[in-house]
Amino acid sequence: MSQRLGRVTRVSVLAERFDSKDAFLADAQRYRRELMAHCYRMTGSLHDAEDLVQETYLRAWKSYEGFQGRSSIRTWLYRIATNTCLTALDGRARRPLPSGLGAPSSDPTADIAEHHEITWLEPLPDSPREHPSDPSVIVASRDSVRLAFIAALQHLPPRQRAVLVMREVLQWKAAEVGEAIGASTAAVNSLLQRARAQLDEVQPSQDDDLAEPETPEAQELLAKYISAFETYDMDALVTLFTDDAIFEMPPFDGWYQGPTDIVALSKTHCPAEGPGDMRFIATTANGQPAAALYMLNRETGAHEAFQMHVLSVQSGGVSHVVAFHAGDGSFAKFGLPATL
């Protein structure tokens, strides 16, 4: 009887707080950013994550009258978002980076080929309003969207991916995860064990000690990186990379390792011809330093959106760069103009 009265009381409180489904939906918007990150971890796509968050809110709005208040609104939304992602991922191929396709590093002087038929991993713009009073929360949030982690998650089947994210990132109990995805606690623990084992095989160890984007070291290296490209100083560029640095640029399927090969790639295939052809805007993506590249269009005289370079910065230099093609209005998602 007391449990029933408690449940009725919680529902009554919710009814008083949200006098309509629209009022509930308006209040639930405060969780949009974290739900976006959750759906991004599940899918590896900003565009898909945006659609899935919209679907999550639509499903929540439609089923709100059945919400009994046994969990928080936030937990309830995460359950809906997770199952929405699992439905969307059914039968879909994973989103890789070129270095995750299983091929060896490429010859930087060989021809390069675009592969738009592959659904590539996409970058995630950082929130401009992360709470500065709790650095530990910021770091944990950034770690969970690092490119290396998101790329590694793509190797997991969707249910393993969901369990790992909910247990390791959201810190849910196994029983809570099981209730959310319709599995027993034993099944959740088994899925988590397999996911951890698979992740240990594919996640690179070189990204364990990345510098935070606001640290002096990261900012200095990003500034030098931008300057080397803008002045077309390849001798300066080669000194910025670690010995085993990786450079890749989806939708091209090749990846390149080592400072010499990276610079040779730039000299061979970059459309820039000299100083001034490239301009950059420093930003952040996936909790990492990033630089938006604008390439000179010689016909119009304008610098146009070209690539988003997301850097992994460590004590020895730049260890990894993913140069994402600036397509489908991706610069606008970062609050950046299409031309300079």
Side-chain angles (χ1 to χ4, degrees):
M1 176 65 73
S2 61
Q3 289 180 344
R4 180 182 177 187
L5 287 174
R7 185 163 60 250
V8 171
T9 300
R10 287 193 296 270
V11 174
S12 298
V13 170
L14 284 168
E16 291 176 2
R17 182 178 176 189
F18 305 115
D19 56 1
S20 71
K21 291 195 293 185
D22 290 337
F24 150 72
L25 193 60
D27 182 80
Q29 293 300 318
R30 57 184 166 149
Y31 303 113
R32 178 175 288 272
R33 174 64 194 181
E34 57 182 286
L35 289 172
M36 183 80 71
H38 180 63
C39 293
Y40 174 74
R41 294 183 199 105
M42 288 292 296
T43 63
S45 166
L46 173 61
H47 293 84
D48 287 352
E50 290 176 328
D51 291 341
L52 290 167
V53 169
Q54 287 295 103
E55 178 66 20
T56 295
Y57 278 111
L58 179 61
R59 291 187 182 188
W61 183 82
K62 288 181 176 179
S63 60
Y64 172 67
E65 292 175 353
F67 176 64
Q68 297 181 346
R70 288 179 295 183
S71 65
S72 68
I73 290 289
R74 177 177 180 269
T75 298
W76 186 57
L77 288 170
Y78 266 105
R79 290 179 61 178
I80 297 173
T82 300
N83 284 287
T84 301
C85 289
L86 288 174
T87 300
L89 289 169
D90 187 26
R92 287 194 187 182
R94 67 184 180 92
R95 286 181 173 269
L97 289 174
S99 57
L101 293 176
S105 59
S106 305
D107 178 356
T109 62
D111 291 339
I112 57 177
E114 295 183 73
H115 289 273
H116 293 284
E117 75 280 5
I118 298 175
T119 52
W120 298 103
L121 193 69
E122 297 173 357
L124 179 72
D126 286 343
S127 170
R129 293 182 295 277
E130 288 177 307
H131 202 295
S133 64
D134 194 345
S136 63
V137 172
I138 295 175
V139 171
S141 176
R142 287 174 175 172
D143 286 347
S144 70
V145 294
R146 300 286 197 202
L147 276 179
F149 179 62
I150 301 300
L153 284 177
Q154 292 295 302
H155 289 268
L156 304 179
R159 281 173 69 85
Q160 285 187 27
R161 201 180 306 173
V163 167
L164 184 108
V165 168
M166 297 174 85
R167 291 284 283 121
E168 304 276 325
V169 177
L170 301 182
Q171 298 292 303
W172 284 22
K173 296 178 181 178
E176 294 173 322
V177 176
E179 185 179 358
I181 65 171
S184 67
T185 300
V188 167
N189 289 332
S190 177
L191 286 166
L192 179 61
Q193 185 177 11
R194 294 201 300 271
R196 284 172 172 167
Q198 178 72 2
L199 211 63
D200 287 341
E201 291 182 11
V202 300
Q203 188 170 18
S205 59
Q206 68 169 355
D207 287 329
D208 289 343
D209 62 341
L210 297 186
E212 296 297 319
E214 69 275 2
T215 61
E217 178 185 24
Q219 291 185 7
E220 180 181 4
L221 266 173
L222 180 62
K224 289 180 177 179
Y225 182 88
I226 290 174
S227 176
F229 272 109
E230 289 186 336
T231 60
Y232 207 72
D233 188 346
M234 298 295 108
D235 291 335
L237 184 64
V238 76
T239 66
L240 302 179
F241 292 102
T242 60
D243 291 342
D244 58 352
I246 291 173
F247 192 99
E248 49 193 330
M249 45 184 188
F252 298 96
D253 63 350
W255 62 280
Y256 308 87
Q257 188 161 32
T260 302
D261 279 7
I262 294 171
V263 171
L265 172 73
S266 299
K267 289 180 177 179
T268 305
H269 296 292
C270 180
E273 298 177 4
D277 285 2
M278 292 179 280
R279 293 176 61 186
F280 285 82
I281 294 178
T283 183
T284 59
N286 293 81
Q288 300 172 220
L293 167 58
Y294 293 80
M295 188 69 68
L296 177 65
N297 183 327
R298 299 190 182 281
E299 294 183 0
T300 65
H303 286 78
E304 300 174 347
F306 188 71
Q307 287 177 334
M308 177 64 68
H309 291 211
V310 183
L311 281 64
S312 297
V313 173
Q314 297 177 271
S315 56
V318 178
S319 60
H320 200 152
V321 177
V322 184
F324 294 96
H325 176 64
D328 301 325
S330 60
F331 272 34
K333 304 292 185 182
F334 284 81
L336 297 170
T339 61
L340 294 180

